[in-house]
Amino acid sequence: MISVQHVSKTFRAGGTVTAALQDVSLEVAEGEIFGVIGQSGAGKSTLIRAVNLLERPDSGTVTVDGDELTALSPADLRRARRKIGMVFQHFNLLQGRTVRGNVELGLEIIGVDGDARRRRALEILDLVGLADKAGAYPAELSGGQKQRVGIARALAGSPKVLLSDEATSALDPETTRSILDLVKTINTDLGLTVLLITHEMDVVKRICDSAALIEGGRIVEQGRIVSLISTAGSRLAHELFPLGAVPALPGDTVIDITFSGGSADRPVIAQLARTYGLDVSILGAAIETIGGNQAGRTRLALPGSAAGNAAPISDLRNQGMLVEIVGE
Amino acid sequence: MLLDPSLPQFWSDLFQVLLIGTGQTLYMVGVSLLITVIVGLPLGIVLVGTEPGGLFESPFGSRRLGRVVNRVLDFIVNLGRSVPFIILMVALIPFTRLVVGTFIGPTAAIVPLAVVAIPFFARMVEIAIKEVDTGLIEAAESLGATRWQIVSKVLVPEALSPMILGLSTTVTSIINFSAMVGTVAGGGLGDVAVRYGYQRYSTIHMVAVIFVIFVIVMVLQGLATMLAKRFAHRSRPNRAEKTVPALRASAVTGA
């Protein structure tokens, strides 16, 4: 649905040159929620703004729903943008318009007439749970409500893609959750493809099907979360299940076990202790529900060297778990 | 001839003179204000738009043209604002004669008044539009808006409140200059003040003129403040101050 190919963007301000994006490629499949995570300054904001060409890349192509945006004329680009809704960190609502007026903005731009516009706006406001605030001005709303208006505005023109530029970063944790749930609902009910950027791993955990890690203007890693979890050395997986630094335990072997799907509810550690008579100690664990499945990572200390523990480790691997030896 | 307040026709004459003077002043101010808005508003928009990174950064695809337009307009606006009005008024006499046919009378006075007020108001518009969050422009762009739609649906409506305050400052200075124009070209309350108050020593005429001008300014100012508030739609006052601090303060006290 969204294909970003070899996109680069460099900013020049005065004498300093900043390479915001360096040869970035990204594939977002239809109907999925794709999260790009990175720290501020990593280039994620430039990346999402390049998808609807608010920021035109220096090189590379951007294709959304079959339209190669980077090759379109200004008029065709404007038409193509109507298929791409966008929500912003600071909501970007018109202060002088009511909630309904804000939602109608996109429809006015397209040229929908007054009556149809009004009906559509109220319909969408109902969807985002703000039907009773149609006549209010943005200044009278809370942050979460403002973002719901932002989402309603983005959805009014029935786009196929929703871009979310740090949509929850200005919100408190509880409001963040409710907005994320709304995005998830829209994704499932309307079949909308969502590309979001965030610096919060929780956002990725809660709603994303796929994720990419961006650092210094480059995509370091990307893939479906389910497969990332079972990829050895995946930094996203480590970020998803943070276990901290590996402690130095002389004489012990420290292993990280990542399990997902079926292996999550088996008594793995008890079995290990029983079968091999090992005094297993649990050093840390992180368990999350990702994509409706239990997944997690446990750090164990097994007495003895890695070579001595070869049998139990291969047994775990045979059970379909990812085992990484992180210290011995 | 000195005027004697004890004469029976003094007060009715005063009323008559004030009425005509006020009418002429309102006519001069009203028409020049109208011209000022019609010319100054687009001028202010073009001034902001042609700045680097602006909406009309490269008109007809030419970045250089945008820069040239910006420089030229900026120069004209600065020139218009820096020349003292009394000099501008005299310097404009040939132009006024060309446009109106004469340089005497209230209609002729409209020309220098508009010429001095247009750059003033254009600056006000420029400042007001610069205060509009660029995020709003991006939001409109993301919805597929044309440049004209961004101007008409986002920039102007969102800058309406500070622009109204700017307009009220503009109208106050037009009233100010209209009095000056009256002394040279004739007409309006300034003319009344000079001919009766100064040349014929009538303190009553002088006080009456000052009072009428004061009332006009107060009414317009109040109206502008009310409209500005009406269009601001910011329920929490502390937030409003955070959004347009310098502008609000200067627009109110400057008037």
Side-chain angles (χ1 to χ4, degrees):
Chain A
M1 180 55 82
I2 302 175
S3 173
V4 174
Q5 295 297 329
H6 308 293
V7 161
S8 297
K9 175 79 189 181
T10 305
F11 291 110
R12 287 175 186 82
T16 51
V17 176
T18 319
L21 295 176
Q22 300 179 60
D23 194 25
V24 167
S25 296
L26 208 68
E27 287 289 340
V28 182
E30 183 164 0
E32 74 172 340
I33 302 186
F34 192 109
V36 176
I37 188 159
Q39 292 178 338
S40 51
K44 55 187 189 305
S45 195
T46 311
L47 174 59
I48 199 157
R49 288 152 48 84
V51 172
N52 62 356
L53 256 55
L54 283 181
E55 205 75 74
R56 189 173 275 277
D58 298 332
S59 60
T61 61
V62 177
T63 311
V64 177
D65 192 31
D67 294 324
E68 191 188 323
L69 302 187
T70 33
L72 295 180
S73 68
D76 286 337
L77 174 61
R78 281 197 296 271
R79 254 189 298 280
R81 275 177 177 161
R82 293 168 187 173
K83 289 195 285 185
I84 310 170
M86 188 166 190
V87 288
F88 303 86
Q89 179 175 5
H90 299 295
F91 324 124
N92 296 355
L93 302 178
L94 300 181
Q95 300 292 316
R97 284 186 180 224
T98 60
V99 165
R100 182 163 69 83
N102 268 286
V103 177
E104 285 187 20
L105 178 66
L107 301 169
E108 278 175 38
I109 287 168
I110 302 172
V112 178
D113 70 67
D115 220 31
R117 216 160 59 204
R118 185 192 158 87
R119 270 201 309 277
R120 175 68 181 156
L122 293 175
E123 185 185 314
I124 290 289
L125 282 172
D126 198 35
L127 177 79
V128 301
L130 276 184
D132 56 327
K133 294 283 183 195
Y137 284 94
E140 299 158 13
L141 303 180
S142 69
Q145 289 172 327
K146 283 182 195 165
Q147 197 55 288
R148 281 170 193 271
V149 179
I151 291 171
R153 178 177 64 186
L155 294 181
S158 310
K160 296 195 162 178
V161 168
L162 183 69
L163 305 178
S164 160
D165 184 356
E166 297 267 14
T168 58
S169 299
L171 305 175
D172 61 72
E174 197 180 324
T175 315
T176 294
R177 280 193 292 276
S178 79
I179 293 292
L180 290 179
D181 290 347
L182 175 63
V183 171
K184 182 73 200 166
T185 309
I186 291 161
N187 166 255
T188 31
D189 292 2
L190 306 180
L192 215 67
T193 306
V194 181
L195 173 63
L196 62 86
I197 63 161
T198 182
H199 63 269
E200 295 165 316
M201 209 63 206
D202 280 339
V203 172
V204 175
K205 271 182 203 168
R206 196 169 177 93
I207 61 169
C208 290
D209 303 304
S210 298
L213 177 65
I214 186 167
E215 258 182 8
R218 293 176 191 277
I219 299 279
V220 184
E221 193 180 1
Q222 68 172 306
R224 293 192 61 80
I225 299 209
V226 198
S227 45
L228 284 173
I229 300 170
S230 42
T231 306
S234 161
R235 292 189 37 203
L236 273 170
H238 277 276
E239 295 286 336
L240 279 170
F241 308 109
L243 291 177
V246 180
L249 295 174
D252 282 359
T253 303
V254 182
I255 59 170
D256 283 358
I257 307 175
T258 307
F259 47 87
S260 56
S263 57
D265 40 16
R266 261 180 281 150
V268 174
I269 295 164
Q271 248 172 27
L272 204 65
R274 241 189 342 262
T275 318
Y276 298 95
L278 288 171
D279 293 330
V280 181
S281 8
I282 300 172
L283 300 177
I287 293 169
E288 297 285 344
T289 306
I290 290 176
N293 290 317
Q294 279 270 303
R297 187 180 288 249
T298 308
R299 179 167 292 164
L300 304 178
L302 309 177
S305 67
N309 285 303
I313 288 171
S314 71
D315 191 17
L316 287 172
R317 285 185 173 142
N318 289 339
Q319 290 181 50
M321 272 166 273
L322 175 71
V323 182
E324 291 167 89
I325 299 166
V326 293
E328 60 172 307
Chain B
M1 183 185 84
L2 282 176
L3 293 164
D4 183 0
S6 59
L7 290 173
Q9 71 269 37
F10 175 87
W11 294 99
S12 67
D13 279 357
L14 170 70
F15 181 74
Q16 196 76 23
V17 162
L18 276 181
L19 199 66
I20 293 168
T22 307
Q24 285 174 337
T25 292
L26 289 180
Y27 165 69
M28 287 189 284
V29 173
V31 176
S32 45
L33 188 66
L34 194 69
I35 297 170
T36 299
V37 173
I38 292 170
V39 181
L41 179 62
L43 187 62
I45 292 168
V46 173
L47 262 175
V48 189
T50 51
E51 277 192 358
L55 217 49
F56 309 109
E57 180 185 33
S58 39
F60 309 109
S62 161
R63 194 172 281 251
R64 180 178 296 173
L65 178 63
R67 208 158 40 212
V68 168
V69 169
N70 185 265
R71 294 261 170 81
V72 169
L73 290 183
D74 195 60
F75 176 77
I76 292 174
V77 165
N78 276 338
L79 186 74
R81 273 167 34 90
S82 56
V83 177
F85 182 69
I86 196 100
I87 297 173
L88 189 77
M89 190 170 63
V90 176
L92 279 173
I93 285 176
F95 178 68
T96 306
R97 209 182 251 154
L98 190 77
V99 176
V100 190
T102 171
F103 67 97
I104 303 290
T107 306
I110 289 168
V111 175
L113 285 178
V115 167
V116 78
I118 286 167
F120 187 82
F121 183 56
R123 273 278 183 259
M124 296 285 187
V125 170
E126 185 192 6
I127 294 167
I129 286 183
K130 270 187 183 162
E131 290 285 332
V132 175
D133 185 357
T134 51
L136 298 182
I137 299 173
E138 288 202 335
E141 279 183 329
S142 80
L143 293 166
T146 61
R147 283 187 285 202
W148 167 244
Q149 285 172 326
I150 291 173
V151 169
S152 64
K153 292 184 188 299
V154 178
L155 292 182
V156 172
E158 286 295 300
L160 204 54
S161 171
M163 276 191 323
I164 289 169
L165 290 176
L167 191 65
S168 92
T169 313
T170 309
V171 79
T172 311
S173 51
I174 295 181
I175 291 171
N176 172 9
F177 291 138
S178 80
M180 221 188 282
V181 128
T183 66
V184 175
L189 289 168
D191 188 37
V192 173
V194 169
R195 278 196 294 133
Y196 293 84
Y198 177 64
Q199 289 167 351
R200 296 162 85 177
Y201 307 104
S202 171
T203 311
I204 293 173
H205 278 79
M206 196 60 113
V207 171
V209 165
I210 291 171
F211 177 74
V212 171
I213 289 183
F214 177 71
V215 168
I216 293 174
V217 170
M218 286 307 285
V219 166
L220 288 175
Q221 187 66 59
L223 197 69
T225 310
M226 197 189 78
L227 283 175
K229 232 181 232 159
R230 162 100 179 65
F231 287 114
H233 297 299
R234 292 187 174 92
S235 60
R236 279 159 262 188
N238 57 339
R239 185 169 301 185
E241 270 165 36
K242 222 179 274 170
T243 330
V244 278
L247 190 67
R248 285 233 157 151
S250 69
V252 172
T253 52

